[in-house]
Amino acid sequence: MTTAAANRPQLAHLTAQLDDLRQRGTFFKLRVLDDQQAPVCTYDGKRVINLASNNYLGLCNDPRLEEAAIAATRKYGAGSGAVRTIAGTMHIHMELEEKIAAFKGVEACVVFQSGFAANAGTVSSILGKEDFILSDELNHASIIDGARLSRAKIKVFRHKDIAHAEELLQEVQNEPGRKLLITDGVFSMDGDIGPVDKLARLAEKYGAIMMVDDAHASGVLGRNGRGSVDHFHVTDKVDVQVGTLSKAIGALGGYVCGSRDLIDYLYHRARPFLFSTSHPPSVTATCIAAFDILEAEPERIQRLWDNTWYFKQQLTNAGFDVGGNTTPKSETPITPIIIGDGRKTMDFSRALFDAGVMATGIAFPTVPEGKARIRTIMTSEHTREQIDQALEVFTSVAKKTGVLQA
């Protein structure tokens, strides 16, 4: 059989790299969801306990969000028809931005098509080549890409190392140009919480812009899920707050919160905002409904944390490495099970799936070589019975595959 690479050698390097992934045992195929995103659902035709979803609060299939989407579609139609700056700003878009700004306790908000677009679009638009970015070494890829697009000079400080961040600020404090200090609120692969309060005070000391990506803290930390900035009581010291609508909020998109001037500037200069069609009315309406639920039902977040601490403790008792040894210690519903070897990790993930648990293997280049892991995420909607069943599968499969000693 003739391969595409043989017919079109221009892309043969892609085939070679995929072959390398297969040899390493880290090549994967996408799992396909057959029904709703839920604690127990069907992937690739198999019923499994789902420990891989970002649906922290179970809002993806909440009936109130579904009804809001249907009502908005009937009223506004299926799509917005244009980018926001031409003809695509609907009243419902403004309503969502105003709701998020009020929720966060800031002047204004702008919604982007994704959290990635929010991060990359903001960093690349508010800085230029004469400026400096000081970034945690484990910050999200969207921050890294935005920094590169800005053409600013990039300084990377060791993970959560306040002293190193200050050293870098001292190095550049007399250089011309603006300085941006940026961190994740919750780090997406290890589940640890960024030192947002300490970095915010450092930024204030040196006159730097302070930016926090709160994608995995949104709906998880702070009052009613307001995020890490609220958790640390530093709203007045953070200039740029980024959040997501794609995880705990249960829908799709990202947003940036801050001063009115910041948001008006992003309306004029953020390229993902300027050159992407705005959210469909249905998605916008589901987000509005989700924030209403966050305000009204804080017990969802309490259930999330109760499940999280129970799951972590049981994994630790069983002998799994859930961080804190060669990797940062998880402090949130993101609980990595550190395996190390990429092939062994992916084989373990596949064996877990065969045994009825969906838990995704993560290997290089998403995480460093030697630090491959199963990345699990707990939700508020998992029952204790489901958690115990998943723990039993983890332990039995781990012993069969050599991840734990039998």
Side-chain angles (χ1 to χ4, degrees):
M1 178 177 170
T2 304
T3 66
N7 287 332
R8 298 290 295 170
Q10 294 89 335
L11 296 181
H13 65 292
L14 304 182
T15 303
Q17 290 183 47
L18 290 172
D19 288 343
D20 181 62
L21 291 177
R22 292 184 179 95
Q23 289 175 0
R24 290 170 176 263
T26 56
F27 179 87
F28 61 84
K29 291 185 178 180
L30 299 177
R31 299 268 185 213
V32 179
L33 179 62
D34 299 321
D35 46 18
Q36 292 188 337
Q37 190 70 255
V40 177
C41 51
T42 308
Y43 277 93
D44 295 344
K46 184 175 180 63
R47 200 75 176 154
V48 292
I49 298 171
N50 184 4
L51 297 180
S53 171
N54 293 320
N55 186 25
Y56 289 108
L57 301 178
L59 295 181
C60 280
N61 52 7
D62 188 285
R64 290 164 291 184
L65 271 66
E66 294 172 1
E67 289 304 315
I70 293 167
T73 301
R74 287 181 176 143
K75 181 175 181 178
Y76 295 107
S80 65
V83 300
R84 292 279 302 274
T85 54
I86 295 177
T89 295
M90 295 178 163
H91 184 273
I92 198 170
H93 294 130
M94 302 308 295
E95 182 183 348
L96 175 59
E97 291 180 346
E98 290 163 6
K99 178 171 283 290
I100 296 172
F103 181 75
K104 287 283 192 173
V106 297
E107 287 183 353
C109 169
V110 55
V111 169
F112 286 80
Q113 289 72 16
S114 70
F116 197 109
N119 264 330
T122 299
V123 176
S124 61
S125 64
I126 65 175
L127 297 178
K129 61 183 180 181
E130 72 282 359
D131 300 323
F132 290 87
I133 296 171
L134 297 92
S135 177
D136 188 291
E137 66 178 335
L138 295 186
N139 276 343
H140 192 266
S142 56
I143 295 172
I144 295 168
D145 285 2
R148 290 169 177 165
L149 287 168
S150 75
R151 298 183 298 162
K153 304 169 188 71
I154 302 168
K155 301 278 188 178
V156 177
F157 57 90
R158 291 183 293 272
H159 183 51
K160 294 168 62 168
D161 190 329
I162 304 301
H164 190 211
E166 183 161 20
E167 283 178 29
L168 297 180
L169 279 167
Q170 288 171 346
E171 285 179 14
V172 302
Q173 65 178 327
N174 294 321
E175 296 285 339
R178 292 167 290 272
K179 287 81 183 179
L180 172 72
L181 185 59
I182 186 167
T183 183
D184 279 0
V186 171
F187 291 87
S188 62
M189 286 296 116
D190 293 302
D192 54 329
I193 299 171
V196 172
D197 53 340
K198 296 180 177 67
L199 289 172
R201 287 193 286 271
L202 203 58
E204 190 170 46
K205 179 179 177 181
Y206 289 92
I209 301 165
M210 183 65 206
M211 180 171 172
V212 177
D213 173 12
D214 249 356
H216 281 281
S218 301
V220 175
L221 293 178
R223 293 169 301 131
N224 297 78
R226 283 173 169 81
S228 70
V229 177
D230 181 84
H231 172 75
F232 284 111
H233 309 293
V234 289
T235 299
D236 61 334
K237 291 181 172 58
V238 175
D239 302 293
V240 185
Q241 289 191 55
V242 177
T244 184
L245 304 167
S246 309
K247 297 179 173 63
I249 300 304
L252 180 70
Y255 59 85
V256 176
C257 285
S259 69
R260 181 74 261 172
D261 282 350
L262 168 68
I263 303 311
D264 283 345
Y265 181 85
L266 293 174
Y267 280 165
H268 285 79
R269 289 290 182 267
R271 291 172 72 83
F273 179 84
L274 290 167
F275 296 104
S276 298
T277 296
S278 53
H279 274 66
S282 58
V283 174
T284 311
T286 61
C287 294
I288 292 171
F291 279 102
D292 288 338
I293 293 171
L294 281 184
E295 290 278 27
E297 300 179 10
E299 63 272 15
R300 281 179 179 265
I301 299 174
Q302 187 58 53
R303 286 204 309 271
L304 169 65
W305 282 101
D306 289 345
N307 284 345
T308 293
W309 295 126
Y310 177 77
F311 185 59
K312 285 181 191 293
Q313 188 60 58
Q314 296 304 311
L315 285 172
T316 301
N317 292 347
F320 289 102
D321 178 358
V322 295
N325 298 310
T326 62
T327 62
K329 184 175 178 60
S330 171
E331 303 169 276
T332 66
I334 299 169
T335 304
I337 298 170
I338 309 301
I339 310 296
D341 178 75
R343 181 186 295 276
K344 190 174 184 180
T345 298
M346 302 308 282
D347 286 346
F348 184 39
S349 176
R350 284 187 282 267
L352 287 170
F353 184 82
D354 291 340
V357 173
M358 173 77 165
T360 308
I362 308 288
F364 180 83
T366 306
V367 295
E369 287 277 19
K371 294 185 179 180
R373 78 279 308 268
I374 301 293
R375 178 175 177 263
T376 70
I377 294 182
M378 189 47 58
T379 77
S380 62
E381 304 311 289
H382 282 94
T383 65
R384 189 59 56 90
E385 182 183 8
Q386 290 163 353
I387 297 170
D388 285 340
Q389 186 178 344
L391 288 163
E392 184 179 338
V393 170
F394 264 101
T395 302
S396 63
V397 172
K399 289 177 179 178
K400 288 177 185 175
T401 57
V403 169
L404 290 178
Q405 294 299 315

